[in-house]
């Protein structure tokens, strides 16, 4: 388990190492092609040091990588903006957001798909402003009003990934407790449930409810997020949130275990159609 920045460095380094191998180059030969010392290539490939986007571009050119989608993804991992220019929007909030949250947003902005199990609250990408405010206020006691405003603003800005071209594909399994927990009062919760009904009808969103009647399930250990990337599955990562930090799992065994767990949750959950009816029914009774 690694913190986010280390995971991204390691994944970027592993991908560059594989591309170098495909190009039939040793690390020493690659270093000579770009005018570096071999130790710099080794540090980049092992993820022990950061790498600038310009350096990644040099290596990709040296390795003859022409896949534009892969090039862009690796450049973004190194800190460059994506082709839509939206990658760095959260840097304006650098003084407010902790590093782990910034890294989560970075992964979210780059991913092609996101699978999430939520057991307590509505996923951030689907929260209304009022719900987001209530959740943030409860999570961080004594938060000044201006900082609360900023964090809600960031939460809402993150939702742009669902409207991007192409949009992030979101698959979410929500425990019934998410729908039953009255966050912010009856009015706020009613509007939030209506928002979920609207979201469930979007083509890029798949919502499923795991009802209490399903009993104990593999997700009782807690919520998780799986980020998947269009260009290569080697960059996929699992994120586990804790009270003071987030953990990022990148091993293939971990990815397989959480992918299988999510698949099992989808099987035990209501179908998307039945889930839509369930949410609408809960909203009607709220």
């Amino acid at each position: 388990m690694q913190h986010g920045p280390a995971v991204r460095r390691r994944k970027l380094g592993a991908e560059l190492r594989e591309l170098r191998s495909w190009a039939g180059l040793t690390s020493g030969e690659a270093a000579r092609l770009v005018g570096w010392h071999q130790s710099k290539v080794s540090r980049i490939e092992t993820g022990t040091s950061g790498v600038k986007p310009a350096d990644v571009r040099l290596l990709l050119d040296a390795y003859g990588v022409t896949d534009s989608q892969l090039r862009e993804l690796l450049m973004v991992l190194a800190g460059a903006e994506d082709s839509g220019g939206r990658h760095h929007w959260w840097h304006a909030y650098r003084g407010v957001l902790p590093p782990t949250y910034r890294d989560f947003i970075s992964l979210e902005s780059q991913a092609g798909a996101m699978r999430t199990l939520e057991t307590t609250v509505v996923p951030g990408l689907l929260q209304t402003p009022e719900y987001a405010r209530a959740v943030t206020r409860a999570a961080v006691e004594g938060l000044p009003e201006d900082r609360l405003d900023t964090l809600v603003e960031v939460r809402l800005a993150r939702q742009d990934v669902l409207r991007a071209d192409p949009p992030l594909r979101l698959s979410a399994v929500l425990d019934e407790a998410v729908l039953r927990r009255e966050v912010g009062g009856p009015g706020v919760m009613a509007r939030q449930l209506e928002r979920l009904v609207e979201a469930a009808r979007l083509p890029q969103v798949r919502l499923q409810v795991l009802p209490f009647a399903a009993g104990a399930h593999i997700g009782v250990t807690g919520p998780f997020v799986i980020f998947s990337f269009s260009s290569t599955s080697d960059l996929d990562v699992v994120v586990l949130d804790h009270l003071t930090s987030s953990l990022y799992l990148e091993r293939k065994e971990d990815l397989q275990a959480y992918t299988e767990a999510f698949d099992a949750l989808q099987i035990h959950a209501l179908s998307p159609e039945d889930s839509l009816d369930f949410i609408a029914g809960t909203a009607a009774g709220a």
Side-chain angles (χ1 to χ4, degrees):
M1 291 184 287
Q2 298 281 347
H3 288 288
V7 166
R8 293 199 302 168
R9 286 199 305 270
R10 287 182 58 182
K11 286 184 174 294
L12 177 59
E15 188 68 16
L16 290 172
R17 182 170 61 249
E18 188 169 357
L19 290 171
R20 173 178 59 76
S21 178
W22 286 347
L25 298 170
T26 66
S27 58
E29 290 169 339
R32 286 192 293 274
L33 280 175
V34 295
W36 299 343
H37 193 279
Q38 181 179 355
S39 61
K40 180 174 180 177
V41 174
S42 297
R43 289 196 304 271
I44 290 173
E45 291 185 350
T46 57
T48 55
S49 68
V51 54
K52 297 177 181 178
D55 290 342
V56 172
R57 186 181 296 109
L58 280 175
L59 291 174
L60 294 177
D61 289 343
Y63 302 160
V65 178
T66 58
D67 184 328
S68 59
Q69 193 175 25
L70 178 58
R71 286 179 66 98
E72 179 175 313
L73 177 57
L74 296 180
M75 292 289 291
V76 169
L77 279 179
E81 289 191 355
D82 65 15
S83 59
R86 65 180 182 271
H87 175 58
H88 286 162
W89 64 264
W90 61 90
H91 282 194
Y93 303 95
R94 184 179 293 273
V96 179
L97 306 180
T100 52
Y101 190 23
R102 293 202 306 268
D103 202 70
F104 183 90
I105 298 173
S106 176
L107 288 170
E108 188 176 70
S109 73
Q110 300 162 29
M114 174 180 173
R115 287 164 287 178
T116 181
L117 165 69
E118 288 291 352
T119 58
T120 54
V121 297
V122 171
L125 293 182
L126 302 178
Q127 293 178 6
T128 65
E130 298 84 4
Y131 186 98
R133 178 175 293 274
V135 166
T136 305
R137 181 181 279 120
V140 189
E141 292 186 358
L143 199 61
E145 201 66 21
D146 58 342
R147 184 161 184 179
L148 177 61
D149 290 341
T150 300
L151 291 176
V152 172
E153 184 178 310
V154 169
R155 182 72 54 90
L156 299 179
R158 284 173 47 202
Q159 298 176 3
D160 284 345
V161 295
L162 294 176
R163 297 182 287 270
D165 184 19
L168 176 76
R169 300 185 306 280
L170 173 64
S171 296
V173 173
L174 309 183
D175 191 276
E176 184 178 342
V178 173
L179 309 180
R180 302 293 182 187
R181 179 168 288 103
E182 193 175 277
V183 174
V188 169
M189 200 62 207
R191 287 189 291 274
Q192 179 60 71
L193 292 175
E194 290 172 2
R195 167 65 180 137
L196 285 178
V197 170
E198 295 170 2
R201 295 191 174 113
L202 295 173
Q204 66 271 35
V205 176
R206 178 187 174 96
L207 286 187
Q208 292 181 256
V209 174
L210 194 62
F212 291 148
H217 53 78
I218 197 168
V220 295
T221 54
F224 59 86
V225 174
I226 306 172
F227 286 117
S228 300
F229 297 86
S230 302
S231 294
T232 171
S233 61
D234 288 343
L235 298 175
D236 292 358
V237 62
V238 175
V239 184
L240 306 178
D241 261 342
H242 296 271
L243 183 62
T244 58
S245 65
S246 298
L247 292 175
Y248 294 72
L249 284 64
E250 59 175 328
R251 296 187 312 163
K252 291 187 184 299
E253 306 94 295
D254 294 324
L255 286 164
Q256 181 177 349
Y258 277 89
T259 296
E260 291 175 354
F262 191 79
D263 291 344
L265 289 166
Q266 286 189 309
I267 292 172
H268 288 94
L270 300 176
S271 70
E273 296 75 20
D274 289 343
S275 294
L276 179 58
D277 292 339
F278 191 96
I279 296 171
T282 305

